């Protein structure tokens, strides 16, 4: 997953979650958090790889 894809996925997951009613949000919260954490890790990995690549070029 690229950095841009991860950022878009985070946005999409948040948007989808926010479109639910408060009661539905309570039921979906654990799944929502799991998805967010997975994508956050992917985003961090992509950013780390990009920065390492930039340092090697210099």
């Amino acid at each position: 997953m690229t950095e841009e894809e991860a950022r878009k996925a985070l946005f999409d997951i948040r948007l989808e979650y926010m479109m639910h009613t408060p009661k539905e949000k309570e039921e979906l919260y654990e799944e929502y958090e799991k998805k967010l954490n997975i994508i956050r890790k992917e985003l961090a990995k992509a950013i780390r790889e990009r920065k390492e690549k930039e340092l090697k070029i210099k």
Side-chain angles (χ1 to χ4, degrees), residues 47-58:
I47 291 171
R48 184 178 61 248
E49 289 173 355
R50 178 179 50 86
K51 290 192 182 230
E52 287 174 354
K53 190 175 183 181
E54 287 174 356
L55 287 175
K56 287 181 182 178
I57 292 173
K58 292 181 180 181

